[in-house]
Amino acid sequence: MKVKVKRWHTVAIWQWDMEDSTDLCGICHGPFDSCCPDCRIPGDNCPLLWGKCTHCFHLHCINKWIETNDSEGTCPMDRQIFEAAT
Amino acid sequence: MAKPMFARRLSKELNDLAMNPPAGIDIIDANDFKVWRLGLAGAPGTLYEGEKFQLEFNFGPNYPLESPQVLFVGDNVPIHPHIYSNGHICLDVLYNHWSPVQTVASICLSLQSMLSSCTSKERPPDNAAYIKTARANPKHTTWAFHDDTV
């Protein structure tokens, strides 16, 4: 029997490749899989950033915190100097 | 324009507070994202057992990147070595040790634990001088944090 496929629909979901991508960003309280409050579309344009301390935030959220004077460059979770993991 | 960060976060926090209020904490008034009033009950077995206090939170548009203004209001300001009679609270996490992962609930719990560990009900030694010169917003005070035992 020969089958000819005329057309198909595909559906995909995506999520960040991490332990629990449904966790929330500690700064905005939005899920990691959704974007930061200033972005509209989740994905590569609103990435996550891990610190060497292993704490993770939306890149845009942690940047906004680090830019404040009060942060003194520290991780919001452990108050040690925040250095991006490479 | 998407809902800004402070409004999103505060609506989530309000929801959480209403659904799972921490023991001794209740919402008195939270009709907008600017000023909230919460009730704080003195914990059983502490010097403040049976007392009821009111906290006022003022949020700016940069919350949670900037700390809210937090003070005790109403007739009963707790008598505590770190709480001035004008309601101002000497607690580092409200000022220079603020972190955006703190929440209204976590601040309430910090305050409750500060009250619970108190061993003698008294005002700060410089209360009289402080309340004469302090501005309305406690964030404008230059705080010196020296005693973390009470």
Side-chain angles (χ1 to χ4, degrees), chain A:
Chain A
M1 184 178 76
K2 270 193 173 176
V3 176
K4 192 173 174 188
V5 177
K6 289 183 171 166
R7 62 179 184 188
W8 66 57
H9 291 286
T10 55
V11 176
I13 58 159
W14 75 273
Q15 57 186 40
W16 292 114
D17 184 7
M18 62 191 295
E19 207 166 291
D20 185 0
S21 63
T22 61
D23 260 0
L24 307 182
C25 168
I27 298 175
C28 70
H29 287 195
F32 285 128
D33 275 341
S34 122
C35 49
C36 84
D38 285 346
C39 289
R40 295 186 58 206
I41 302 166
D44 287 336
N45 290 327
C46 187
L48 307 182
L49 183 70
W50 275 265
K52 285 185 180 163
C53 53
T54 73
H55 296 126
C56 176
F57 306 92
H58 289 123
L59 170 72
H60 299 150
C61 292
I62 186 71
N63 273 349
K64 280 192 207 119
W65 165 244
I66 296 291
E67 281 164 14
T68 65
N69 288 332
D70 290 343
S71 77
E72 296 173 339
T74 59
C75 170
M77 300 293 251
D78 57 34
R79 296 181 201 286
Q80 304 301 308
I81 295 294
F82 188 86
E83 285 182 85
T86 43

Side-chain angles (χ1 to χ4, degrees), chain B residues 93-108:
Chain B
V93 297
L94 296 178
Y95 311 107
N96 61 337
H97 280 143
W98 167 254
S99 149
V101 300
Q102 290 183 103
T103 60
V104 171
S106 77
I107 294 170
C108 288

Side-chain angles (χ1 to χ4, degrees), chain B residues 62-80:
Chain B
N62 289 327
Y63 179 82
L65 301 174
E66 271 177 29
S67 61
Q69 224 191 99
V70 185
L71 66 169
F72 282 100
V73 293
D75 299 333
N76 194 20
V77 170
I79 298 180
H80 182 284

Side-chain angles (χ1 to χ4, degrees), chain B residues 115-136:
Chain B
L115 292 178
S116 297
S117 58
C118 180
T119 52
S120 137
K121 274 181 158 185
E122 48 195 28
R123 288 278 179 228
D126 58 337
N127 187 65
Y130 177 77
I131 60 168
K132 262 187 242 162
T133 54
R135 296 203 260 167

